Amino acid sequence: MSVPTEGLTPGAVRAIVEKKIRTNKIRIYRPGEPVFRPDTEQYEPGPSVTFYEGPGAILLTGGPSVVLHIAGQVYVDDTPSRYRLLTPLSAPVASREDTVAVVEAEDESAIGRTWRVIATRATSTLSIVRTTSTSPR
C-alpha cells in the first residue's frame, strides 16, 4: 500500500490562512519605560512601544468559563470569553500583559478593539501560524 503524496502541504495551508483567515491588520504593543515628571514628582507610564504591526486575526474560541488552579483558587485571568490571536511565525512573540489592537478590518466594528495577552504561544511540530491566548481588555 502506497502513501498518498497529494493533498495540502504546509505551504498550501499557510496560503489559505493568509488569504482567508489572517486578514486583519493588528498591532501588538506594551507599556513603555516609566517617565519621571518633575512637576508632580511621580513616575507615569511612558508611551507604549509597538513591536509588531501587520497581518493577524483574533478568533473567539470555546473554553471553560472558570479555570481552577490545583489548589482550587480561581485563575486570576478568568474570563467567560477566550480568544486566540493568530500571527505569522515571523512575528515577534507577544508576552503576558501585552496589548493587541485591531487596526484594520473588513468588519468596522472590530477596529479599535483591544485584548490583553494572557498566555504565550503554543507550539507544535507543524506550525502554520503562531497562536496566543488573549482576553478582552
Side-chain angles (χ1 to χ4, degrees):
M1 184 151 78
S2 66
V3 176
T5 57
E6 301 171 15
L8 290 176
T9 64
V13 173
R14 184 176 294 112
I16 292 168
V17 168
E18 288 172 358
K19 186 175 182 179
K20 298 291 187 184
I21 298 173
R22 214 180 57 218
T23 58
N24 297 332
K25 182 176 183 181
I26 57 136
R27 178 180 298 135
I28 307 174
Y29 58 93
R30 59 182 53 129
E33 293 293 319
V35 176
F36 183 74
R37 295 212 23 187
D39 56 330
T40 62
E41 296 186 357
Q42 300 287 319
Y43 280 95
E44 295 182 359
S48 296
V49 177
T50 297
F51 64 93
Y52 175 76
E53 188 165 317
I58 297 282
L59 303 176
L60 182 63
T61 61
S65 61
V66 175
V67 178
L68 300 177
H69 284 270
I70 293 175
Q73 298 298 313
V74 176
Y75 186 60
V76 68
D77 290 322
D78 184 45
T79 175
S81 301
R82 301 278 189 222
Y83 294 84
R84 290 274 179 204
L85 166 66
L86 303 180
T87 56
L89 293 175
S90 59
V93 177
S95 296
R96 193 172 161 79
E97 298 300 323
D98 286 345
T99 299
V100 179
V102 175
V103 179
E104 294 175 10
E106 266 191 55
D107 178 0
E108 291 183 12
S109 70
I111 298 171
R113 289 189 180 189
T114 59
W115 290 261
R116 70 187 163 105
V117 174
I118 59 172
T120 56
R121 69 185 169 124
T123 190
S124 69
T125 57
L126 183 59
S127 294
I128 302 298
V129 293
R130 177 172 292 124
T131 61
T132 307
S133 296
T134 60
S135 68
R137 263 253 179 246

